[in-house]
Amino acid sequence: MKMKKYSAETMVEAMKKVRADFGEDAIILSSTVVNSKGFLGFFKKKSVEVVAGFDEPAPKMEEPVLPFSSPPIVSVDKTSVELKKEMNEMKKMLENMQQSASHSRLPDELKPLLMHLEKQSLSSSLITQIGEEIYNRMKAEKKDFTHEEQLLMTKQFLEREIGNLPFGGISFNKKFINVLGPTGVGKTTTIAKIAARALLENKKKIGFITTDTYRIAAIEQLRTYANLLQAPVEVAYNSEDFEKAIANLADRDVIFIDTAGRNYKEVKFVEDLTRLIDFSLDMESFLVLSMTSKEQDMKIIIEQFNQFAVEKFIFTKMDETSSIGPLFNLMKDYQIGTAYYTDGQEVPEDITEAASEKLISLLLKGAYDA
């Protein structure tokens, strides 16, 4: 990593210097406010010192060929994650085998619906339950059901499974809206969409705190949205900065907290959040997940965040996937509802407040298309 120290009168000027040398992918390693000594104790002046770095791609090295290869040494955490992944894959394979055996005895009239649910990646358990419920009613009533009747029974089943979970956007009962999630899921854009709705539709005075100080581009992206919304932004590099930011935004109705996008499969990054953010505040926390991620990866992220009181999920990139079954699987497994789902980059248009009936309709859309 290349590193360099910068001095400037303000953080903004320091960031300009960093960006000029290292570009938008620069990493901020530390920042310090420095007081000059002045003359005879007077005319003291503050300045900012920033240490920034840039990761250069490491050259690939050929591994030596050894006569005997020793087993790789891995951390306990990584071993645990890999083992859990393998166990889940085996469990899924067994469920698929059981599902195939179960489906073979169901009438052909149900096959199109069940195949559609499989393509949507709904869990084997839920698909089997749906098929069995409709089949048992067919036997009890001694009749075949139309496609419309099958869809209605499927909707009723899913409504019973998830309808009791909380749905819908922010309640405005809490001052702080904390948005969590791994890198690449679109947290900052999602925050901007929610904040714009709060400002334009609910007439709330909004403000932003970003703790995503790892990359300059993340701060600048939030500043761009905040400028468009004419809302203040505070940057928190540590817990002391976070407390000052809260004080500076005391007059705001709602304060949106943009957390750093990191690889939260690693426990240490989750622990960093607890040291930086005061989770005892009057706060609603939302976990953002991308529908383009693997379901097993999303489960690992959810389990890493289980120490926080996650109110609801926010699912992004719905327009980039052809299967939304994992959304239902996760809600069912973790008993957590959904606040919003997004389907594009436009702010604030491409975001929808979630409701169980909307999501079920999306899941079943096209079930009987030729």
Side-chain angles (χ1 to χ4, degrees):
M1 173 182 281
K2 288 185 177 180
M3 291 188 293
K4 189 174 179 181
K5 181 186 284 187
Y6 298 85
S7 296
E9 291 186 4
T10 67
M11 181 63 78
V12 173
E13 291 179 13
M15 291 299 101
K16 288 180 180 177
K17 293 181 179 181
V18 174
R19 195 181 297 108
D21 285 349
F22 294 132
E24 297 296 334
D25 290 328
I27 298 170
I28 306 304
L29 302 174
S30 68
S31 62
T32 311
V33 177
V34 180
N35 291 307
S36 62
K37 294 181 180 178
F39 177 68
L40 298 177
F42 298 99
F43 309 110
K44 290 184 178 180
K45 195 173 183 181
K46 286 187 176 182
S47 62
V48 176
E49 284 187 356
V50 171
V51 177
F54 178 75
D55 279 323
E56 292 185 308
K60 290 185 177 179
M61 298 180 65
E62 292 186 5
E63 296 183 1
V65 178
L66 301 176
F68 300 99
S69 59
S70 57
I73 299 173
V74 294
S75 68
V76 174
D77 283 349
K78 186 174 181 182
T79 303
S80 176
V81 168
E82 291 300 323
L83 182 60
K84 182 178 281 189
K85 191 171 182 179
E86 287 180 12
M87 292 290 288
N88 278 299
E89 287 175 354
M90 187 177 295
K91 181 181 176 183
K92 189 171 183 179
M93 183 178 70
L94 290 172
E95 285 179 349
N96 288 337
M97 291 171 64
Q98 292 172 348
Q99 178 178 304
S100 298
S102 175
H103 289 184
S104 63
R105 70 184 189 85
L106 296 177
D108 291 341
E109 290 85 351
L110 292 180
K111 298 295 175 63
L113 172 63
L114 302 183
M115 287 178 63
H116 173 80
L117 296 177
E118 287 177 7
K119 288 179 181 177
Q120 287 292 319
S121 299
L122 194 67
S123 74
S124 301
S125 173
L126 289 174
I127 294 174
T128 299
Q129 290 178 66
I130 290 168
E132 292 288 344
E133 181 165 309
I134 298 175
Y135 179 47
N136 288 336
R137 285 189 59 178
M138 289 172 68
K139 289 192 297 182
E141 299 181 25
K142 297 179 180 179
K143 59 173 284 191
D144 293 335
F145 292 118
T146 65
H147 292 169
E148 290 75 17
E149 289 172 324
Q150 291 179 29
L151 289 175
L152 177 60
M153 283 185 276
T154 304
K155 288 179 181 179
Q156 291 170 341
F157 172 87
L158 291 171
E159 190 65 45
R160 291 198 304 271
E161 292 295 310
I162 65 167
N164 63 319
L165 301 177
F167 286 90
I170 59 176
S171 64
F172 296 109
N173 293 326
K174 305 288 180 72
K175 182 161 185 165
F176 297 92
I177 305 299
N178 188 33
V179 183
L180 307 162
T183 184
V185 297
K187 286 196 311 300
T188 303
T189 304
T190 300
I191 287 174
K193 292 174 181 178
I194 301 171
R197 295 280 182 91
L199 173 69
L200 301 174
E201 297 177 6
N202 301 95
K203 311 302 179 188
K204 299 292 183 181
K205 290 173 65 178
I206 63 172
F208 299 94
I209 299 174
T210 178
T211 66
D212 193 355
T213 57
Y214 189 66
R215 293 192 185 277
I216 296 176
I219 299 175
E220 293 306 311
Q221 184 185 14
L222 185 61
R223 285 194 192 280
T224 299
Y225 288 131
N227 289 337
L228 291 172
L229 298 173
Q230 298 183 331
V233 179
E234 296 286 333
V235 181
Y237 291 89
N238 50 50
S239 57
E240 290 76 16
D241 289 342
F242 188 79
E243 291 178 7
K244 290 176 186 175
I246 291 172
N248 292 340
L249 298 174
D251 66 326
R252 302 286 104 180
D253 298 321
V254 186
I255 299 171
F256 294 89
I257 303 171
D258 187 10
T259 56
R262 306 296 290 273
N263 179 9
Y264 288 114
K265 292 179 186 176
E266 298 189 37
V267 178
K268 64 180 179 180
F269 293 132
V270 180
E271 292 173 346
D272 287 344
L273 285 176
T274 62
R275 287 190 287 268
L276 180 58
I277 297 172
D278 183 0
F279 284 90
S280 67
L281 293 169
D282 186 31
M283 178 183 293
E284 279 184 292
S285 292
F286 298 92
L287 180 58
V288 183
L289 300 168
S290 169
M291 287 302 298
T292 59
S293 301
K294 293 179 181 178
E295 183 176 338
Q296 186 54 39
D297 291 337
M298 288 192 277
K299 284 184 175 181
I300 293 171
I301 297 298
I302 295 168
E303 287 165 10
Q304 294 286 59
F305 281 97
N306 64 7
Q307 62 184 288
F308 306 118
V310 173
E311 306 284 339
K312 300 169 192 169
F313 295 130
I314 297 174
F315 290 98
T316 60
K317 306 185 182 182
M318 288 275 278
D319 56 318
E320 297 181 31
T321 182
S322 59
S323 57
I324 65 167
L327 182 153
F328 288 84
N329 303 339
L330 296 174
M331 287 195 295
K332 178 71 168 60
D333 289 347
Y334 295 96
Q335 289 297 290
I336 297 175
T338 300
Y340 302 94
Y341 57 89
T342 72
D343 53 4
Q345 293 295 313
E346 293 298 320
V347 177
E349 292 86 352
D350 296 334
I351 188 168
T352 303
E353 279 200 34
S356 57
E357 60 270 19
K358 288 181 186 176
L359 294 171
I360 293 170
S361 294
L362 286 174
L363 178 76
L364 298 177
K365 185 179 180 180
Y368 289 106
D369 288 352

